[in-house]
Amino acid sequence: LAPWIPVVGLEIHAQISSNSKLFSGSQVQFAAPPNSLVSFFDASLPGTLPVLNRRCVEAAVMTGLALNCSINKKSLFDRKHYFYADLPAGYQITQQRVPIAVNGSLSYSLCTDNKMGQMVTKTVRIKQIQLEQDSGKSLHDDTRSQTLVDLNRAGVGLMEVVMEPDMCCGEEAAAAVRELQLILQTLGSSQAVMAEGQLRVDANVSVHHPGEPYGVRTEVKNINSMRFLAKAVDYEIQRQIEELESGGTILNETRAFDSKLGCTVPMRDKEGKQDYRFMPEPNLPPLILYDAKSLPANVNHQQVINIDWIHERLPDLPSVKREKLVEQYGILPEHSFTLLNEDGLAEFFETVVKQTQMKPKKVIGWILNDLLSYLNQHSLTVKESPVSSFLLADLLNLLEKKEISSTAAKRVLAELWKGEGKTPLEIVKEQKLELLQDQKELEQICQAVIDGQEKE
Amino acid sequence: LSQVSAALKEGRVTPTELCQRCLALIKSTKFLNAYITVAEETALKQAKESEERYKRGQPLGILDGIPVAVKDNFNTAGIETTCASNMLKGYISPYNATVVQKLLDQGAVLLGKTNLDEFAMGSGSTDGVFGPVRNPWSYSKQYKEKSVPKSHSEDEDSNWVITGGSSGGSAAAVSSFTCFAALGSDTGGSTRNPAAHCGVVGLKPTYGLISRHGLIPLVNSMDVPGILTRCVDDAAVLLGSLAGHDPKDSTTIQDDFKPFELPNLTDVSKLSIGIPKEYHAPGLSSEILALWSKAADLFKNAGAKVVEVSLPHTRYSIVCYHVLCTAEVASNMARFDGLEYGHRSDKKESTESMYAATRREGFNDVVRGRILSGNYFLLKQNYEKYFVKALKVRRLIANDFMKVFRSGVDILLTPTTLSDAAPYMEFIQEDNRTRSAQDDILTQAANMAGLPAINVPTALSERGLPVGLQFIGRSFQEKQLLTVAKWFEKQVQFPMIQLEEVKKHDNSVFQHQKSASFS
């Protein structure tokens, strides 16, 4: 059987972290009472007009710069028409013709199969980033044959990040999305929490034989966790291969991921091709951005965005942070990945290092092997850790000063984990775990043991 | 307006009296069907508040206490806004359009909402669900004298003429003295056309000068709020109180706007008036042609430079307009699904069937026709062929004007309509689309190019009905446009309408100068 090459592209919708929506002043907030965050414009009351939110544009520019994109100094807004209960105006305002950022790239890393630890870096091209409105939510109540519509989310700003089909499997897709998520969170342009719907991923999947043109692709939607992303993509790849090998064909359709069954199913109401009747949004002039060179002299700074100014103020991206950790502390690259992967872990590690004489290379072992495994076992975040960085530092200091053995230290940690408020020193005293340093005392004990043995 | 304002300040008349007189006149001219909603209670309340301010010697400005009317496609908080459509019958908006708010903030008294073609689609104000608007001049002495009585019983009721549209209600309201000024909207001529037929001043400001926030849109890229008044000075006053940047409308320009008073122009020798030859359109009545010619001579004899110019792409503007207008209509009407507000059908089988039934029940044929056309033009396979092409033609039309203005012409002089107002029975012989295509031809290019334009009532036709002429100016040069219009107005001395109902309510406040008419 000829080998198959799977091809995976992604369309990622990231909710912009802002106080108000993309085109109106209503608040952005998760889980508010239904229809309590809806302005006249969001409800599409006739006569209302969109007004662009500056913060959302800045978020998109930051994200574009972080992803090595060219920022379009002039971008346009369009209307994308379709009828649906959660789209009050009957159209979504998006950027179809000229989006705000294009032609970028994202580097991400994977653990290779062979040994635990070896990492390989891959790159995926970013086709574009566009600003667009989120839709409301509709809940189907089949028992009463009705649909309940909540417009709180309608109009919230989204950045759609389009990743070219440079990935080949679920693992790569998940790693790429994970890295994007970290970048967004570092920038603050999106909180990117998948569980709260702030990061939604649609996967475009196809398979083909080497040397042949790309196969028909399907779009997999409704993936709302990182775990499911890898599963959904891999399932779909497998499904397509099986279908094609048994002589079937792949339909260019939209499928939903059913997390309970672990498979993809066709989506009922997305049959047939939609003609969105794109039209320029007449109520929004072209979006003009400036850089230091093109910035006009007498201008109201409230009304303009300077790309260079934003660039200068970008924080260190995850890849840079990792490099710095490796360089500063002498830890391994794969360690730096784990540190950044857990929210707050890198800070925890650095705080411990500052407060202990133990070398960072040794501290990292305690962080990644001991602390992290405790946290994972109990499904706790770093913030929720009953063992604070100070406590751990204290403990490691005892170990470093050779006042306890490393076996004893592990026992103390277990005790600390109970969170009873005792200090490491107190626990050591309680359990009599002190290392005997006194040569004479040791000799006496050994002699006693030998003597005891002789008697028997 | 300045006369009334002075009278109010001096206490010769009170805002309440003024308001009551207007309300009474509205009642006695009910047969005109100019108003959809009369907000009697709130108007009297506003009048009372105005009165308090005058008593304290602290009026808000020249508009304080002045009764005005607003076309029913502007949002008015607490007062029904219907757009003369079943879709919005009973719809009470929670907010005021910016222009309405501005009027209220300056103490104007809002008498009510005026009638129009459904969703402002039409050139007769005949296609709204509340029925057609009748031109007050149908009942004027001037018209009755000239009309041939067919038979005694037929006389009054079958001979009446249309107001033109789509802001017919506003034009009729101003023309019949039931208010001092009214807001209309202008997308293809909808303020200037009825102004011409009703013998009032109709101003279309430059696109981007006055906020559209709260004006229910027809074509977002061409709509402007229109101003209807009985004289040019009044239009300048209204313009001064309404123009300026609105952060809620991103298509308004940011520049500061300074309200102005119109100078009394005496010397026109520095003016260059352009006469675009393409505006000698097929179907232009010989009467209006003669009037246009006379007006050009008027300027020439007064020393102005009058030149013939060419706007070669004029004849494509109707088709171009049709494509762009229907496309935007299809888009703008997509929000009317019955879910959040407005009419909702009883059909419950599915969301789709509910949408379809709601829209079929809520919209009239004209609106539905435009939606279907518009969606056709926006289909992926048609977009380049129609929409993009129309945009390009639009650019050419706008460039025509720019070239002419750059060559030294200050103002263009053209007819506003092809003929005087048609009798209703004759008008409805053709469908809305045909009529619109015919009637918009002289006004619509100004909307394409976003230029300011104004109708000035010029003379009475053979049938005793008003005929107006149009001046088109440069972008944002309303001051120059209105100055020239004011000079022209003074020269022609358009006669006052002689209406029985108005005579009954007569009062020195309503009087105009009376002198020989222009024709």
Side-chain angles (χ1 to χ4, degrees):
Chain A
L1 282 169
W4 288 101
I5 301 182
V7 172
V8 181
L10 299 173
E11 276 161 30
I12 300 159
H13 290 91
Q15 242 183 37
I16 298 174
S17 172
S18 60
N19 290 329
S20 52
K21 297 185 180 179
L22 183 55
F23 295 116
S24 71
S26 39
Q27 239 196 312
V28 178
Q29 203 190 304
F30 184 67
N35 292 315
S36 61
L37 305 171
V38 185
S39 69
F40 298 152
F41 174 75
D42 302 329
S44 80
L45 293 196
T48 52
L49 300 169
V51 181
L52 185 55
N53 179 336
R54 187 208 170 94
R55 158 66 189 164
C56 292
V57 179
E58 288 173 342
V61 172
M62 273 198 284
T63 307
L65 291 170
L67 294 175
N68 306 306
C69 295
S70 310
I71 306 294
N72 281 328
K73 293 228 189 79
K74 176 172 166 184
S75 61
L76 304 169
F77 289 101
D78 305 289
R79 294 185 181 179
K80 178 180 182 181
H81 300 87
Y82 61 94
F83 287 101
Y84 206 69
D86 60 20
L87 196 67
Y91 59 84
Q92 175 203 37
I93 301 179
T94 177
Q95 294 189 299
Q96 188 242 4
R97 289 168 292 156
V98 187
I100 191 167
V102 290
N103 296 337
S105 66
L106 170 67
S107 291
Y108 61 96
S109 292
L110 298 171
C111 290
T112 50
D113 268 338
N114 43 30
K115 283 185 207 155
M116 244 294 283
Q118 275 268 317
M119 307 210 80
V120 64
T121 303
K122 299 220 168 200
T123 308
V124 59
R125 291 167 296 158
I126 304 290
K127 177 164 187 235
Q128 65 187 51
I129 300 176
Q130 65 203 55
L131 282 167
E132 57 185 36
Q133 291 174 305
D134 207 344
S135 64
K137 278 207 195 122
S138 43
L139 305 150
H140 300 287
D141 179 357
D142 288 320
T143 39
R144 288 193 204 86
S145 300
Q146 59 184 11
T147 302
L148 305 167
V149 182
D150 176 11
L151 296 178
N152 281 349
R153 204 184 63 180
V156 171
L158 293 177
M159 293 177 287
E160 179 175 327
V161 180
V162 181
M163 291 187 181
E164 300 276 26
D166 296 340
M167 294 160 283
C168 71
C169 58
E171 195 192 0
E172 285 190 2
V177 173
R178 178 65 184 130
E179 187 66 8
L180 176 66
Q181 189 181 43
L182 285 173
I183 291 175
L184 292 172
Q185 289 168 347
T186 303
L187 293 172
S189 57
S190 170
Q191 286 164 42
V193 175
M194 278 183 97
E196 288 184 12
Q198 293 164 338
L199 193 70
R200 309 196 287 265
V201 183
D202 297 334
N204 293 313
V205 180
S206 73
V207 297
H208 64 277
H209 288 305
E212 283 179 13
Y214 281 14
V216 174
R217 66 159 193 230
T218 61
E219 189 185 8
V220 183
K221 288 178 106 73
N222 198 34
I223 302 167
N224 46 29
S225 86
M226 213 66 82
R227 217 166 30 102
F228 292 153
L229 171 58
K231 262 194 176 170
V233 168
D234 288 333
Y235 174 87
E236 181 60 18
I237 291 171
Q238 203 49 44
R239 183 193 76 85
Q240 290 194 9
I241 291 174
E242 281 168 16
E243 184 70 35
L244 290 171
E245 284 185 344
S246 62
T249 51
I250 304 299
L251 294 170
N252 176 210
E253 59 177 351
T254 306
R255 299 175 74 88
F257 181 66
D258 186 324
S259 47
K260 289 202 194 100
L261 300 172
C263 65
T264 63
V265 292
M267 280 178 88
R268 269 172 304 125
D269 48 359
K270 299 264 177 173
E271 284 157 22
K273 275 207 161 171
Q274 277 265 32
D275 190 327
Y276 293 112
R277 289 166 279 124
F278 286 98
M279 185 184 93
E281 168 55 68
N283 292 316
L284 292 169
L287 175 59
I288 309 286
L289 303 173
Y290 300 93
D291 56 24
K293 257 194 279 180
S294 64
L295 194 63
N298 310 318
V299 78
N300 180 358
H301 283 272
Q302 296 274 43
Q303 291 294 323
V304 299
I305 286 185
N306 182 344
I307 300 169
D308 289 336
W309 192 89
I310 294 178
H311 206 157
E312 284 159 20
R313 284 160 184 75
L314 286 179
D316 277 347
L317 294 182
S319 51
V320 174
K321 277 192 196 165
R322 286 184 206 114
E323 271 172 35
K324 283 189 175 170
L325 285 171
V326 168
E327 216 187 285
Q328 198 176 347
Y329 300 112
I331 57 177
L332 294 173
E334 48 265 37
H335 293 162
S336 70
F337 268 91
T338 318
L339 280 182
L340 254 58
N341 231 14
E342 291 296 323
D343 196 23
L345 194 60
E347 289 77 22
F348 193 100
F349 166 71
E350 291 192 277
T351 314
V352 172
V353 165
K354 280 201 188 88
Q355 295 173 87
T356 177
Q357 297 93 349
M358 184 183 278
K359 287 222 171 78
K361 275 191 191 163
K362 276 178 91 181
V363 174
I364 194 74
W366 284 93
I367 299 285
L368 297 183
N369 300 331
D370 299 277
L371 179 78
L372 193 56
S373 53
Y374 268 117
L375 288 175
N376 286 338
Q377 263 171 46
H378 297 92
S379 295
L380 292 172
T381 63
V382 173
K383 281 199 189 81
E384 295 164 336
S385 170
V387 178
S388 70
S389 52
F390 307 109
L391 286 179
L392 184 60
D394 272 350
L395 175 60
L396 296 181
N397 279 337
L398 291 175
L399 180 57
E400 191 67 7
K401 284 189 267 181
K402 295 203 167 57
E403 287 179 33
I404 54 176
S405 70
S406 82
T407 326
K410 289 200 200 277
R411 277 173 63 179
V412 174
L413 185 58
E415 195 62 35
L416 280 174
W417 202 262
K418 293 184 191 156
E420 286 164 6
K422 299 186 204 152
T423 67
L425 200 56
E426 282 166 4
I427 297 172
V428 164
K429 291 236 162 70
E430 250 178 49
Q431 299 196 13
K432 295 203 170 50
L433 295 168
E434 304 92 324
L435 261 182
L436 290 172
Q437 305 274 29
D438 190 334
Q439 190 77 2
K440 267 203 177 153
E441 237 188 296
L442 276 170
E443 278 178 18
Q444 277 179 354
I445 294 173
C446 290
Q447 194 58 49
V449 171
I450 293 168
D451 290 342
Q453 286 285 73
E454 280 178 0
K455 280 189 183 146
E456 277 170 23
Chain B
L1 266 179
S2 52
Q3 293 171 337
V4 186
S5 182
L8 285 168
K9 272 213 197 110
E10 291 160 24
R12 282 184 275 133
V13 68
T14 69
T16 310
E17 282 171 340
L18 210 52
C19 182
Q20 281 166 341
R21 287 213 185 102
C22 287
L23 289 170
L25 191 53
I26 292 175
K27 284 204 182 87
S28 58
T29 54
K30 209 165 172 179
F31 53 89
L32 293 177
N33 202 18
Y35 288 81
I36 294 176
T37 305
V38 179
E40 190 163 331
E41 255 183 60
T42 53
L44 286 168
K45 185 159 166 278
Q46 286 160 7
K48 190 153 186 285
E49 285 164 14
S50 171
E51 208 162 300
E52 300 294 313
R53 290 190 290 270
Y54 275 105
K55 278 200 194 129
R56 292 198 302 267
Q58 293 171 334
L60 293 166
I62 192 170
L63 287 180
D64 204 336
I66 303 292
V68 297
V70 165
K71 187 173 179 183
D72 207 13
N73 59 355
F74 286 91
N75 277 272
T76 45
I79 299 173
E80 200 175 338
T81 301
T82 67
C83 293
S85 174
N86 276 322
M87 190 59 90
L88 290 176
K89 246 191 195 165
Y91 173 69
I92 305 215
S93 168
Y95 74 102
N96 280 323
T98 297
V99 289
V100 171
Q101 192 61 52
K102 284 190 170 185
L103 288 175
L104 294 174
D105 286 345
Q106 288 168 65
V109 172
L110 181 56
L111 293 172
K113 310 297 287 299
T114 58
N115 204 349
L116 60 155
D117 284 302
E118 183 163 337
F119 279 109
M121 298 186 204
S123 58
S125 304
T126 52
D127 279 321
V129 292
F130 296 104
V133 185
R134 299 186 183 200
N135 192 328
W137 283 83
S138 316
Y139 303 94
S140 68
K141 192 163 170 217
Q142 291 106 324
Y143 178 64
K144 285 194 219 168
E145 275 171 3
K146 297 282 176 82
S147 60
V148 181
K150 297 197 183 80
S151 85
H152 192 60
S153 56
E154 268 190 4
D155 209 9
E156 294 273 304
D157 243 39
S158 60
N159 227 12
W160 59 271
V161 298
I162 57 166
T163 51
S166 58
S167 312
S170 282
V174 173
S175 171
S176 59
F177 290 91
T178 58
C179 63
F180 283 81
L183 290 185
S185 65
D186 196 310
T187 308
S190 293
T191 290
R192 293 160 284 156
N193 175 297
H197 287 316
C198 295
V200 298
V201 170
L203 170 62
K204 175 212 167 296
T206 312
Y207 183 88
L209 185 60
I210 299 187
S211 172
R212 290 182 298 112
H213 174 253
L215 167 59
I216 298 176
L218 174 58
V219 183
N220 284 292
S221 61
M222 298 186 207
D223 290 349
V224 291
I227 293 170
L228 293 139
T229 54
R230 286 195 282 277
C231 68
V232 178
D233 270 328
D234 290 355
V237 170
L238 262 289
L239 182 68
S241 64
L242 296 177
H245 176 63
D246 182 5
K248 295 191 187 130
D249 179 351
S250 307
T251 60
T252 52
I253 52 160
Q254 309 255 357
D255 304 7
D256 276 329
F257 174 80
K258 292 191 187 70
F260 48 79
E261 245 183 65
L262 293 176
N264 272 312
L265 191 63
T266 44
D267 175 22
V268 295
S269 58
K270 297 205 184 68
L271 266 183
S272 171
I273 307 286
I275 309 287
K277 61 181 189 200
E278 290 82 3
Y279 278 64
H280 185 351
L284 185 64
S285 79
S286 46
E287 245 188 332
I288 298 194
L289 183 59
L291 218 54
W292 186 19
S293 193
K294 244 186 162 165
D297 289 340
L298 189 69
F299 278 99
K300 216 183 288 181
N301 296 336
K305 183 169 166 215
V306 179
V307 285
E308 189 190 74
V309 296
S310 175
L311 300 168
H313 296 93
T314 305
R315 62 198 166 113
Y316 303 116
S317 63
I318 286 286
V319 195
C320 177
Y321 176 75
H322 180 71
V323 172
L324 296 176
C325 172
T326 54
E328 282 222 31
V329 165
S331 180
N332 291 333
M333 298 295 144
R335 66 186 60 212
F336 294 105
D337 52 23
L339 275 189
E340 301 86 9
Y341 48 81
H343 172 69
R344 187 200 279 214
S345 161
D346 286 329
K347 268 207 161 233
K348 287 198 175 105
E349 290 89 62
S350 68
T351 312
E352 302 244 304
S353 65
M354 191 270 275
Y355 275 24
T358 295
R359 290 161 71 80
R360 193 187 342 112
E361 292 161 19
F363 292 138
N364 72 3
D365 284 350
V366 181
V367 179
R368 283 170 30 231
R370 293 198 194 189
I371 292 173
L372 290 170
S373 308
N375 278 326
Y376 175 77
F377 295 133
L378 289 177
L379 288 175
K380 201 166 177 180
Q381 75 241 36
N382 293 332
Y383 185 73
E384 290 280 327
K385 274 195 286 187
Y386 298 101
F387 193 82
V388 176
K389 278 245 173 77
L391 286 179
K392 292 181 179 173
V393 173
R394 181 176 182 178
R395 172 66 58 197
L396 291 175
I397 293 170
N399 286 345
D400 278 355
F401 283 102
M402 279 211 277
K403 279 195 202 121
V404 164
F405 284 131
R406 236 181 269 149
S407 72
V409 168
D410 300 306
I411 304 273
L412 296 170
L413 168 62
T414 80
T416 313
T417 55
L418 294 174
S419 67
D420 57 3
Y424 175 71
M425 299 307 287
E426 198 183 291
F427 185 78
I428 55 173
Q429 297 295 320
E430 298 276 7
D431 66 51
N432 184 294
R433 167 141 157 62
T434 311
R435 287 297 183 205
S436 297
Q438 292 164 348
D439 300 332
D440 285 348
I441 194 150
L442 301 168
T443 46
Q444 187 245 81
N447 297 87
M448 288 287 207
L451 297 171
I454 185 169
N455 172 75
V456 180
T458 308
L460 292 182
S461 69
E462 293 248 320
R463 289 160 66 214
L465 293 172
V467 170
L469 290 176
Q470 174 177 237
F471 294 91
I472 304 175
R474 297 172 196 219
S475 268
F476 302 106
Q477 301 302 315
E478 271 79 353
K479 185 168 182 189
Q480 181 184 57
L481 177 69
L482 289 170
T483 302
V484 174
K486 179 174 168 177
W487 180 88
F488 184 72
E489 177 187 58
K490 196 162 177 207
Q491 306 304 308
V492 301
Q493 304 272 303
F494 183 79
M496 190 171 99
I497 187 175
Q498 288 167 37
L499 266 183
E500 272 301 313
E501 290 73 14
V502 175
K503 280 220 192 101
K504 288 186 200 139
H505 296 263
D506 200 3
N507 171 290
S508 61
V509 182
F510 288 128
Q511 273 180 357
H512 256 315
Q513 319 148 283
K514 278 189 183 189
S515 30
S517 52
F518 180 52
S519 61

